[in-house]
Each structure stands twice: as C-alpha cells, then as structure tokens.
Amino acid sequence: QVQLVESGGGLVQPGGSLRLSCAASGLTLENYAIGWFRQAPGKERGGVSCQSSSGGSTYFADSVKGRFTISRDNAKNTVYLQMNSLKPEDTAVYYCASTRKGLFDRLASYYCRNQGGMDYWGKGTLVTVSS
C-alpha cells in the first residue's frame, strides 16, 4: 500500500542543477523520517541526505554538503532533493526512502547511516552528470 515514486532524474551538465521529487502514498509523510540515497556504478548504496520527521534534524553527506538541499511538503506528501553545482561523480541512481518515527524522532544522521532501518523505498531515478 505504501509507495514511493521518484522523478526528476535525467542528463545534466557539470555545474548544472536538478530537483528530484519523491511522491509518497499510503502514508502520512509528517510522521516519517525521510532520506535520499544513491548508488553509483560499481559502488554500494549510501546516504546522501536525510531528515527527521519533524524537519528539525537534517544530514548531508560530506560529498554533497553545501550543494544539495533536502526538503519536504507534508501537505503534498512529497520529498525533494535540490541538487546544485552537480559534478560527474554525482552520477548515480537516486532513491528516496522513509520510515515511521516510532516513539522517538531520531537524529537525521542515524537514518542516513542505517539504511536498513528504512522501511519503504522507491525504485530510483537515474541522474547522469556529463558534458
């Protein structure tokens, strides 16, 4: 019943920008921590950016800090990842994921470092950064 669907991926030039969207259904997003993960060719999937359910805690991987922004629109049940100053090494399949907060709203870093704790995943959207 729960479904996450990413969109917005595509081909962009280095230095360009792209905004990814993740439409959630079957859940009330305001009660869920969210995250974006990516998997580049030949590499393991890793956390890019995560946010606590309240939005009070946000985490960014060192490789994207200062360039990416995670946000949510709870009214639309949609998660966003704004990506600026894109680099070729950002090329990857990007996944959105979510988990219900439970009794505690944990720090965002927890969710990005423990992807196994994410209960729901999208199928991914490909971002290619190339000239």
Side-chain angles (χ1 to χ4, degrees), residues 10-31:
L11 175 64
V12 296
Q13 297 184 59
S17 297
L18 203 63
R19 189 182 76 162
L20 305 183
S21 298
C22 175
S25 60
L27 58 80
T28 302
L29 191 60
E30 65 183 18
N31 298 320

Side-chain angles (χ1 to χ4, degrees), residues 25-76:
S25 60
L27 58 80
T28 302
L29 191 60
E30 65 183 18
N31 298 320
Y32 287 76
I34 57 174
W36 286 94
F37 299 78
R38 69 184 182 186
Q39 187 166 30
K43 297 183 178 180
E44 294 186 353
R45 187 171 62 193
V48 176
S49 183
C50 293
Q51 188 180 74
S52 61
S53 62
S54 68
S57 178
T58 303
Y59 165 87
F60 297 97
D62 289 343
S63 59
V64 307
K65 190 174 183 179
R67 299 188 296 120
F68 290 13
T69 301
I70 188 172
S71 63
R72 67 168 76 207
D73 186 335
N74 288 332
K76 294 183 178 180

Side-chain angles (χ1 to χ4, degrees), residues 7-20 38-41 67-68 81 83 85-94 124-131:
S7 62
L11 175 64
V12 296
Q13 297 184 59
S17 297
L18 203 63
R19 189 182 76 162
L20 305 183
R38 69 184 182 186
Q39 187 166 30
R67 299 188 296 120
F68 290 13
L81 183 68
M83 305 184 294
S85 302
L86 284 162
K87 305 174 181 179
E89 52 262 44
D90 294 319
T91 296
V93 176
Y94 285 72
T125 185
L126 177 63
V127 173
T128 302
V129 185
S130 177
S131 298

